[in-house]
Amino acid sequence: MSSTLESPSPLNHSTKSTPGLSVLKLPDPGVASKRVAREIGALIRQRASENRNCVLGLATGSTPIRVYRELVRMHREEGLSFHNVITFNLDEYFPIKPNAAQSYVRFMNEQLFDHIDIVRTNVHIPNGTIELEAVPGYCRDYDELIATTGGIDLQLLGIGRTGHIGFNEPGATQDTRTRLVKLDNLTRLDAVKDFGGMDHVPLLAITMGVDSILQSHRIRLLAFGEHKADIVQRAIEGTMTSAIPASFLQSHRDVQYLLDDAAAECLSPSTTGELSQ
Ligand code: PGA
Protein backbone atom coordinates (compact mmCIF):
# COMPACT_ATOMS: atom_id res chain seq x y z
CA MET A 1 0.00 0.00 0.00
CA SER A 2 1.36 3.37 -0.99
CA SER A 3 0.03 6.74 0.12
CA THR A 4 -0.16 10.01 -1.78
CA LEU A 5 2.27 12.79 -0.98
CA GLU A 6 -0.46 14.56 0.99
CA SER A 7 -1.10 11.61 3.26
CA PRO A 8 -1.59 13.04 6.75
CA SER A 9 -0.28 10.10 8.67
CA PRO A 10 2.29 7.36 8.30
CA LEU A 11 1.22 4.05 6.88
CA ASN A 12 1.86 0.88 8.73
CA HIS A 13 3.94 -1.87 7.27
CA SER A 14 1.34 -3.99 8.91
CA THR A 15 1.63 -7.65 8.47
CA LYS A 16 0.20 -9.77 11.25
CA SER A 17 3.65 -10.24 12.72
CA THR A 18 4.76 -6.58 12.70
CA PRO A 19 1.73 -4.51 13.65
CA GLY A 20 3.83 -1.89 15.46
CA LEU A 21 6.23 -1.21 12.59
CA SER A 22 5.76 1.62 10.11
CA VAL A 23 8.03 2.76 7.32
CA LEU A 24 8.12 6.26 5.86
CA LYS A 25 9.92 7.28 2.72
CA LEU A 26 10.69 11.00 2.76
CA PRO A 27 12.10 13.21 0.01
CA ASP A 28 15.48 13.75 1.67
CA PRO A 29 17.32 13.39 4.98
CA GLY A 30 16.54 16.97 5.95
CA VAL A 31 12.79 16.43 5.77
CA ALA A 32 13.02 13.15 7.67
CA SER A 33 15.21 14.70 10.36
CA LYS A 34 12.90 17.67 10.83
CA ARG A 35 9.96 15.35 11.21
CA VAL A 36 11.65 13.45 14.03
CA ALA A 37 12.88 16.67 15.65
CA ARG A 38 9.32 18.03 15.61
CA GLU A 39 8.05 14.85 17.24
CA ILE A 40 10.74 15.10 19.93
CA GLY A 41 9.98 18.79 20.49
CA ALA A 42 6.26 18.09 20.85
CA LEU A 43 6.93 15.31 23.34
CA ILE A 44 9.24 17.51 25.43
CA ARG A 45 6.64 20.28 25.51
CA GLN A 46 3.78 17.94 26.31
CA ARG A 47 5.72 16.47 29.23
CA ALA A 48 6.71 19.94 30.45
CA SER A 49 3.06 20.99 30.45
CA GLU A 50 2.33 17.98 32.67
CA ASN A 51 5.29 18.81 34.94
CA ARG A 52 6.96 15.58 33.90
CA ASN A 53 10.36 14.61 32.57
CA CYS A 54 10.92 13.50 29.01
CA VAL A 55 13.42 10.66 28.64
CA LEU A 56 15.24 10.48 25.32
CA GLY A 57 17.49 7.73 24.01
CA LEU A 58 20.11 9.29 21.76
CA ALA A 59 22.34 8.02 18.99
CA THR A 60 25.61 9.15 17.45
CA GLY A 61 27.07 8.79 13.94
CA SER A 62 26.41 10.92 10.89
CA THR A 63 22.72 10.05 10.64
CA PRO A 64 21.21 11.95 13.62
CA ILE A 65 23.26 15.13 13.16
CA ARG A 66 20.48 16.95 11.30
CA VAL A 67 18.00 16.06 14.06
CA TYR A 68 20.30 17.65 16.64
CA ARG A 69 20.79 20.70 14.43
CA GLU A 70 17.04 21.14 14.19
CA LEU A 71 16.57 20.69 17.95
CA VAL A 72 19.20 23.39 18.56
CA ARG A 73 17.37 25.66 16.13
CA MET A 74 14.08 24.99 17.93
CA HIS A 75 15.77 25.85 21.22
CA ARG A 76 17.19 29.12 19.87
CA GLU A 77 14.32 30.28 17.71
CA GLU A 78 11.23 28.68 19.22
CA GLY A 79 12.11 28.64 22.91
CA LEU A 80 12.17 24.86 23.20
CA SER A 81 13.59 24.16 26.66
CA PHE A 82 15.37 20.94 27.59
CA HIS A 83 15.04 21.57 31.31
CA ASN A 84 12.78 18.56 31.81
CA VAL A 85 14.82 16.27 29.53
CA ILE A 86 16.85 13.26 30.65
CA THR A 87 19.04 11.56 28.05
CA PHE A 88 20.68 8.16 27.70
CA ASN A 89 23.10 7.56 24.86
CA LEU A 90 23.20 4.17 23.22
CA ASP A 91 26.89 3.48 23.28
CA GLU A 92 30.50 4.55 23.62
CA TYR A 93 33.82 3.15 22.47
CA PHE A 94 35.86 1.36 25.16
CA PRO A 95 38.26 2.43 26.33
CA ILE A 96 38.17 6.07 25.30
CA LYS A 97 38.74 9.39 27.04
CA PRO A 98 35.78 11.76 27.00
CA ASN A 99 37.86 14.50 25.40
CA ALA A 100 39.16 12.27 22.58
CA ALA A 101 38.15 13.56 19.15
CA GLN A 102 36.16 10.38 18.46
CA SER A 103 34.44 9.99 21.83
CA TYR A 104 30.67 10.11 21.85
CA VAL A 105 30.80 12.43 24.86
CA ARG A 106 32.56 14.95 22.68
CA PHE A 107 30.23 14.28 19.75
CA MET A 108 27.12 14.87 21.85
CA ASN A 109 28.53 18.02 23.42
CA GLU A 110 29.48 19.47 20.06
CA GLN A 111 26.32 18.46 18.22
CA LEU A 112 23.74 19.10 20.93
CA PHE A 113 24.43 19.55 24.63
CA ASP A 114 26.69 22.63 24.38
CA HIS A 115 23.93 24.47 22.54
CA ILE A 116 20.85 23.77 24.67
CA ASP A 117 19.74 24.28 28.26
CA ILE A 118 19.84 20.65 29.37
CA VAL A 119 20.79 20.00 33.01
CA ARG A 120 24.17 18.29 32.73
CA THR A 121 23.43 15.78 35.47
CA ASN A 122 20.50 14.57 33.35
CA VAL A 123 22.90 13.49 30.56
CA HIS A 124 24.04 9.85 30.54
CA ILE A 125 26.58 8.40 28.14
CA PRO A 126 28.30 5.05 28.78
CA ASN A 127 31.63 5.77 30.46
CA GLY A 128 34.60 4.71 28.35
CA THR A 129 37.10 5.33 31.15
CA ILE A 130 36.10 2.87 33.87
CA GLU A 131 38.19 -0.13 34.87
CA LEU A 132 37.45 -3.30 32.94
CA GLU A 133 36.44 -5.15 36.14
CA ALA A 134 33.89 -2.47 36.95
CA VAL A 135 32.15 -2.68 33.57
CA PRO A 136 29.53 -5.39 34.32
CA GLY A 137 28.26 -3.57 37.43
CA TYR A 138 28.35 -0.26 35.63
CA CYS A 139 26.26 -1.70 32.77
CA ARG A 140 23.68 -3.14 35.18
CA ASP A 141 23.40 0.26 36.83
CA TYR A 142 22.92 1.93 33.43
CA ASP A 143 19.90 -0.26 32.63
CA GLU A 144 18.55 0.22 36.16
CA LEU A 145 18.89 3.97 35.94
CA ILE A 146 16.91 3.99 32.70
CA ALA A 147 14.20 1.93 34.40
CA THR A 148 14.02 4.25 37.42
CA THR A 149 13.25 7.21 35.14
CA GLY A 150 10.19 5.32 33.89
CA GLY A 151 11.94 4.15 30.72
CA ILE A 152 12.91 5.86 27.50
CA ASP A 153 10.01 7.76 25.95
CA LEU A 154 11.58 8.02 22.52
CA GLN A 155 14.69 6.23 21.30
CA LEU A 156 16.47 7.67 18.28
CA LEU A 157 18.36 5.08 16.24
CA GLY A 158 20.59 4.73 13.21
CA ILE A 159 21.49 1.42 11.65
CA GLY A 160 24.95 0.15 10.78
CA ARG A 161 25.74 -1.74 7.59
CA THR A 162 26.12 -4.85 9.77
CA GLY A 163 22.51 -4.45 10.92
CA HIS A 164 23.63 -3.18 14.30
CA ILE A 165 21.53 -0.90 16.49
CA GLY A 166 23.69 0.75 19.09
CA PHE A 167 26.74 -1.49 18.91
CA ASN A 168 24.69 -4.68 18.98
CA GLU A 169 26.54 -6.45 16.22
CA PRO A 170 25.50 -9.67 14.42
CA GLY A 171 25.16 -12.40 17.03
CA ALA A 172 23.48 -10.15 19.60
CA THR A 173 20.32 -11.83 20.82
CA GLN A 174 16.98 -10.22 21.59
CA ASP A 175 17.46 -10.50 25.36
CA THR A 176 20.75 -8.59 25.56
CA ARG A 177 21.19 -5.77 28.07
CA THR A 178 23.80 -3.05 28.39
CA ARG A 179 27.24 -4.65 28.21
CA LEU A 180 30.75 -4.65 26.80
CA VAL A 181 30.89 -5.91 23.19
CA LYS A 182 33.39 -6.54 20.42
CA LEU A 183 32.95 -4.34 17.39
CA ASP A 184 32.32 -6.03 14.06
CA ASN A 185 35.09 -5.59 11.49
CA LEU A 186 32.77 -3.81 9.05
CA THR A 187 31.83 -1.36 11.81
CA ARG A 188 35.51 -0.77 12.57
CA LEU A 189 36.15 -0.25 8.86
CA ASP A 190 33.39 2.37 8.77
CA ALA A 191 35.10 4.10 11.72
CA VAL A 192 38.55 4.25 10.09
CA LYS A 193 37.84 7.71 8.68
CA ASP A 194 37.28 9.03 12.22
CA PHE A 195 40.30 7.34 13.79
CA GLY A 196 42.80 7.75 10.95
CA GLY A 197 43.68 4.09 10.49
CA MET A 198 42.32 0.66 11.39
CA ASP A 199 44.97 0.22 14.10
CA HIS A 200 43.51 3.16 16.02
CA VAL A 201 39.89 2.00 15.94
CA PRO A 202 38.88 0.49 19.31
CA LEU A 203 38.07 -3.21 19.42
CA LEU A 204 35.41 -2.84 22.10
CA ALA A 205 32.46 -0.69 23.08
CA ILE A 206 29.82 -0.43 25.79
CA THR A 207 26.35 -0.56 24.31
CA MET A 208 22.78 -0.69 25.48
CA GLY A 209 21.46 -4.14 24.60
CA VAL A 210 18.75 -5.10 22.13
CA ASP A 211 16.34 -5.65 25.00
CA SER A 212 17.35 -2.34 26.62
CA ILE A 213 16.42 -0.65 23.32
CA LEU A 214 13.18 -2.61 22.92
CA GLN A 215 12.03 -1.39 26.36
CA SER A 216 11.69 2.14 24.91
CA HIS A 217 8.13 3.35 24.48
CA ARG A 218 8.73 4.69 20.93
CA ILE A 219 11.57 4.01 18.55
CA ARG A 220 12.44 6.18 15.54
CA LEU A 221 15.13 4.82 13.22
CA LEU A 222 16.65 7.04 10.54
CA ALA A 223 18.59 5.64 7.59
CA PHE A 224 19.86 7.55 4.59
CA GLY A 225 21.79 6.61 1.46
CA GLU A 226 22.09 3.66 -0.84
CA HIS A 227 24.73 2.00 1.34
CA LYS A 228 21.94 1.35 3.89
CA ALA A 229 19.35 0.04 1.40
CA ASP A 230 20.22 -3.64 1.58
CA ILE A 231 20.43 -3.86 5.38
CA VAL A 232 17.25 -1.80 5.81
CA GLN A 233 15.38 -4.22 3.55
CA ARG A 234 16.64 -7.25 5.46
CA ALA A 235 15.90 -5.67 8.84
CA ILE A 236 12.32 -4.81 7.87
CA GLU A 237 11.24 -7.55 5.48
CA GLY A 238 13.45 -10.44 6.55
CA THR A 239 12.90 -12.79 9.44
CA MET A 240 13.91 -11.75 12.95
CA THR A 241 17.41 -13.04 13.54
CA SER A 242 20.43 -12.24 15.66
CA ALA A 243 22.38 -12.14 12.39
CA ILE A 244 20.66 -8.75 11.92
CA PRO A 245 20.00 -7.28 15.36
CA ALA A 246 17.87 -4.46 13.91
CA SER A 247 15.38 -7.11 12.74
CA PHE A 248 14.29 -7.50 16.39
CA LEU A 249 12.66 -4.10 16.11
CA GLN A 250 9.89 -5.92 14.22
CA SER A 251 8.64 -7.10 17.61
CA HIS A 252 8.24 -3.56 18.98
CA ARG A 253 4.82 -1.95 19.38
CA ASP A 254 5.77 1.53 18.11
CA VAL A 255 8.76 1.64 15.80
CA GLN A 256 9.02 3.88 12.77
CA TYR A 257 11.70 3.83 10.07
CA LEU A 258 12.24 7.18 8.35
CA LEU A 259 14.13 6.68 5.10
CA ASP A 260 15.23 8.70 2.13
CA ASP A 261 14.63 7.34 -1.38
CA ALA A 262 18.05 5.72 -1.59
CA ALA A 263 17.76 3.84 1.72
CA ALA A 264 14.25 2.64 0.77
CA GLU A 265 15.33 1.43 -2.65
CA CYS A 266 15.30 -2.32 -1.92
CA LEU A 267 11.96 -2.39 -0.06
CA SER A 268 8.89 -3.81 -1.69
CA PRO A 269 6.47 -1.01 -2.74
CA SER A 270 3.84 -2.31 -0.33
CA THR A 271 6.10 -1.60 2.64
CA THR A 272 6.51 2.16 2.49
CA GLY A 273 4.29 5.17 2.87
CA GLU A 274 5.53 8.30 1.10
CA LEU A 275 5.30 11.70 2.72
CA SER A 276 6.35 15.12 1.51
CA GLN A 277 7.11 16.48 4.98
P1 PGA B 1 26.01 6.37 10.63
O1 PGA B 1 26.07 5.16 11.65
O2 PGA B 1 24.91 7.25 11.11
O3 PGA B 1 27.34 7.05 10.75
O4 PGA B 1 25.74 5.81 9.28
C1 PGA B 1 24.86 4.56 12.01
C2 PGA B 1 25.13 3.45 12.99
O5 PGA B 1 26.21 2.85 12.96
O6 PGA B 1 24.24 3.19 13.81
Side-chain angles (χ1 to χ4, degrees):
M1 110 188 102
S2 194
S3 72
T4 65
L5 287 180
E6 288 73 39
S7 176
S9 62
L11 295 181
N12 278 344
H13 166 56
S14 49
T15 63
K16 279 199 177 74
S17 55
T18 60
L21 174 72
S22 62
V23 182
L24 292 183
K25 190 164 78 168
L26 293 135
D28 60 60
V31 174
S33 303
K34 279 188 182 154
R35 189 181 171 90
V36 173
R38 276 204 307 271
E39 182 176 6
I40 292 172
L43 189 60
I44 293 171
R45 286 196 167 106
Q46 182 203 324
R47 289 297 158 83
S49 75
E50 298 162 353
N51 256 326
R52 291 169 64 196
N53 288 324
C54 179
V55 186
L56 299 177
L58 300 180
T60 48
S62 56
T63 306
I65 287 178
R66 290 181 191 84
V67 176
Y68 299 144
R69 203 176 292 155
E70 178 64 9
L71 288 172
V72 170
R73 190 200 63 75
M74 290 163 79
H75 171 66
R76 288 187 178 148
E77 296 177 14
E78 298 173 9
L80 176 66
S81 172
F82 289 76
H83 244 91
N84 63 324
V85 173
I86 299 172
T87 63
F88 290 92
N89 263 77
L90 282 168
D91 47 21
E92 176 61 288
Y93 293 111
F94 186 88
I96 198 161
K97 299 228 163 60
N99 60 354
Q102 306 85 355
S103 94
Y104 288 160
V105 171
R106 181 144 170 190
F107 176 98
M108 289 308 303
N109 286 340
E110 290 178 354
Q111 300 299 329
L112 184 64
F113 299 141
D114 284 350
H115 313 290
I116 58 174
D117 62 342
I118 194 158
V119 179
R120 287 287 173 157
T121 49
N122 284 344
V123 167
H124 306 92
I125 300 176
N127 186 344
T129 71
I130 52 179
E131 294 296 319
L132 192 59
E133 308 79 67
V135 170
Y138 175 83
C139 290
R140 267 195 305 278
D141 290 348
Y142 201 77
D143 280 324
E144 258 169 43
L145 194 58
I146 294 173
T148 57
T149 66
I152 291 172
D153 292 303
L154 189 150
Q155 174 70 57
L156 192 58
L157 288 182
I159 183 170
R161 288 195 295 154
T162 59
H164 73 204
I165 45 174
F167 276 135
N168 293 285
E169 301 287 15
T173 52
Q174 188 166 3
D175 58 358
T176 46
R177 312 287 294 170
T178 300
R179 70 208 184 286
L180 190 67
V181 292
K182 264 196 186 147
L183 294 175
D184 190 276
N185 261 339
L186 184 56
T187 298
R188 294 186 66 236
L189 210 58
D190 282 343
V192 163
K193 59 183 182 322
D194 301 325
F195 285 88
M198 194 68 163
D199 289 350
H200 304 294
V201 181
L203 294 164
L204 304 174
I206 294 177
T207 184
M208 279 168 55
V210 175
D211 185 58
S212 317
I213 293 169
L214 290 173
Q215 298 296 319
S216 310
H217 299 293
R218 292 184 212 179
I219 298 174
R220 300 294 178 255
L221 187 151
L222 295 165
F224 308 130
E226 62 183 343
H227 61 300
K228 299 288 175 75
D230 175 59
I231 198 66
V232 160
Q233 188 275 332
R234 294 196 291 158
I236 295 172
E237 295 178 349
T239 49
M240 283 201 282
T241 166
S242 62
I244 302 172
S247 66
F248 292 122
L249 298 174
Q250 293 175 27
S251 67
H252 195 268
R253 63 184 178 282
D254 184 359
V255 57
Q256 187 170 79
Y257 279 73
L258 296 102
L259 310 172
D260 66 356
D261 282 342
E265 200 173 72
C266 299
L267 290 171
S268 86
S270 61
T271 296
T272 53
E274 286 192 37
L275 291 178
S276 58
Q277 55 184 330

